[in-house]
Amino acid sequence: MLPYSMLLLFLVAVAAVGSAEIRSSDWDIKSMEIKKGDKANLKLYYESLCPDCVDFQIKRLDPLLKEIGSYIDLKLYPYGKAKRHEKNGKTVITCQHGEEECYGNKLHACAIDKLKDIKVAAHYITCMMNGTWGGDGSTDKDATKCGDQMKIDSKPIKECAKGKKGEELLEYYGKETEKVKFRSVPHVLINGEKFDLEDDLKKKICETLKNLPPQCKTKELLNIFSSILSNIF
């Protein structure tokens, strides 16, 4: 049987964890100023219609940004495994999943450019990738519906994607992507090092931070008391 003192300690810890989760939510909402050295640099190389990219963005990155986005310096590169070549003096880009993907990549690039806030852009992009309104996602309809949902004016984003600016942005992300060598997407770099997609993304981010936010400490506390209980029994 668990000693009374140990049981009391465990209950206090559980209460503390719950309190920390509440405070951490407030902390993130307030977006308190965090020093650059206390942020993890995360770069995501992806493409709009890649199933694995969609899965990563929706199930792993977006929830993490909502939880500890204030501690992540995020950069998105919507290009993936597309190829660039010159034809009649003009740059031509061929995307892995066809023209629809090239256009989706342009929508993402234009959202990043027009919205100016990478976290807002990331949530908007995730919404577009979700394909909630039919199809594979990242279409004009997705851009419009997600804009309505998030109170974002999607018109300038769509105009950008259809025009010269969209082509320029896609070419820019192509050049930036070509600086990095990878075989598949999504490709993730955390502080310049390749992230193994089989690993725990939140854990890896927390490990890179000098000053742990409450969201990272919560799991630490649970691990400590889980270890204590396993030793007792």
Side-chain angles (χ1 to χ4, degrees):
M1 186 174 177
L2 190 67
Y4 176 77
S5 58
M6 193 62 71
L7 176 61
L8 182 61
L9 182 60
F10 179 72
L11 291 174
V12 169
V14 170
V17 167
S19 176
E21 286 178 336
I22 294 170
R23 290 198 306 273
S24 70
S25 175
D26 293 340
W27 192 329
D28 206 46
I29 291 170
K30 291 175 183 175
S31 294
M32 294 176 68
E33 187 176 348
I34 300 164
K35 294 179 182 179
K36 194 167 184 179
D38 290 339
K39 288 190 176 186
N41 182 285
L42 191 156
K43 294 182 178 181
L44 172 62
Y45 299 84
Y46 74 103
E47 49 200 32
S48 61
L49 297 184
C50 158
D52 288 338
C53 298
V54 173
D55 192 66
F56 179 83
Q57 196 102 344
I58 293 172
K59 296 181 180 178
R60 301 182 68 182
L61 181 62
D62 195 61
L64 186 67
L65 290 176
K66 289 174 181 175
E67 187 179 5
I68 57 172
S70 299
Y71 300 90
I72 298 173
D73 182 11
L74 177 67
K75 289 183 175 61
L76 301 176
Y77 298 84
Y79 186 82
K81 298 184 72 177
K83 302 293 182 185
R84 289 189 311 126
H85 67 274
E86 298 297 318
K87 185 177 181 180
N88 300 324
K90 184 181 178 181
T91 300
V92 178
I93 297 175
T94 306
C95 294
Q96 185 173 210
H97 298 93
E99 285 300 316
E100 293 82 4
E101 181 167 77
C102 276
Y103 185 70
N105 290 345
K106 289 178 187 178
L107 279 174
H108 293 196
C110 288
I112 296 167
D113 182 69
K114 296 296 181 183
L115 295 177
K116 306 302 181 187
D117 185 324
I118 189 61
K119 305 294 168 45
V120 173
H123 293 316
Y124 180 65
I125 286 168
T126 300
C127 179
M128 285 196 289
M129 293 176 85
N130 208 17
T132 304
W133 296 276
D136 297 321
S138 295
T139 64
D140 278 349
K141 185 175 184 179
D142 295 294
T144 301
K145 293 290 187 179
C146 290
D148 293 343
Q149 193 176 85
M150 297 178 64
K151 295 181 172 53
I152 289 172
D153 184 2
S154 62
K155 186 178 178 180
I157 295 171
K158 290 179 289 188
E159 288 176 348
C160 167
K162 288 179 171 67
K164 185 178 179 181
K165 183 65 174 179
E167 293 177 3
E168 291 173 349
L169 287 171
L170 190 60
E171 186 174 354
Y172 163 76
Y173 283 114
K175 291 177 179 178
E176 290 299 303
T177 298
E178 287 164 9
K179 295 176 183 178
V180 182
K181 303 298 181 184
F182 55 80
R183 292 183 178 181
S184 60
V185 285
H187 181 75
V188 181
L189 296 178
I190 298 178
N191 288 353
E193 294 184 4
K194 181 182 177 182
F195 170 70
D196 187 337
L197 295 175
E198 298 296 320
D199 290 345
D200 185 321
L201 183 60
K202 179 181 175 181
K203 181 181 178 183
K204 185 63 178 177
I205 292 293
C206 289
E207 286 173 352
T208 66
L209 299 173
K210 294 180 180 178
N211 299 306
L212 290 182
Q215 298 93 325
C216 292
K217 292 178 181 177
T218 297
K219 194 167 184 179
E220 258 192 3
L221 279 171
L222 288 173
N223 288 339
I224 289 170
F225 281 94
S226 176
S227 176
I228 290 172
L229 287 175
S230 65
N231 289 331
I232 292 172
F233 291 106

